[in-house]
Amino acid sequence: MGEELLERASMLLTAVAFAGHAGELDTPGVMPHELVAGLVGLAAILLLALTALTWVVWRLRGLDRRLRELEENRKD
């Protein structure tokens, strides 16, 4: 039973792990998880910024339209 446990432990220790850094795995094509998380965070910030900008432009166009209507009504 002890030998079987030792064999399983050695298999776990020698298994390839894909959660580390690319340099540790000798696979330069694999991106580290910190870099991937950073890129996802930047993409989320960019998406939120674009959404906020779209909302502001939409609101400004509505205000402009309302002001033009009020000016036209005032002239008449």
Side-chain angles (χ1 to χ4, degrees):
M1 184 166 193
E3 291 177 26
E4 185 179 321
L5 183 61
L6 228 120
E7 185 179 333
R8 286 187 184 182
S10 67
M11 286 175 56
L12 286 175
L13 291 175
T14 58
V16 176
F18 291 105
H21 296 277
E24 295 172 357
L25 297 173
D26 294 328
T27 53
V30 178
M31 295 177 70
H33 57 280
E34 293 96 347
L35 183 58
V36 172
L39 288 174
V40 168
L42 284 175
I45 290 170
L46 181 63
L47 183 63
L48 286 173
L50 286 174
T51 303
L53 181 64
T54 303
W55 181 78
V56 167
V57 169
W58 180 70
R59 291 288 296 163
L60 285 175
R61 289 184 70 197
L63 287 171
D64 184 50
R65 187 179 320 120
R66 179 70 179 142
L67 282 173
R68 287 179 194 268
E69 287 175 4
L70 288 172
E71 286 177 356
E72 288 175 8
N73 289 340
R74 191 173 193 180
K75 287 180 184 178
D76 295 335

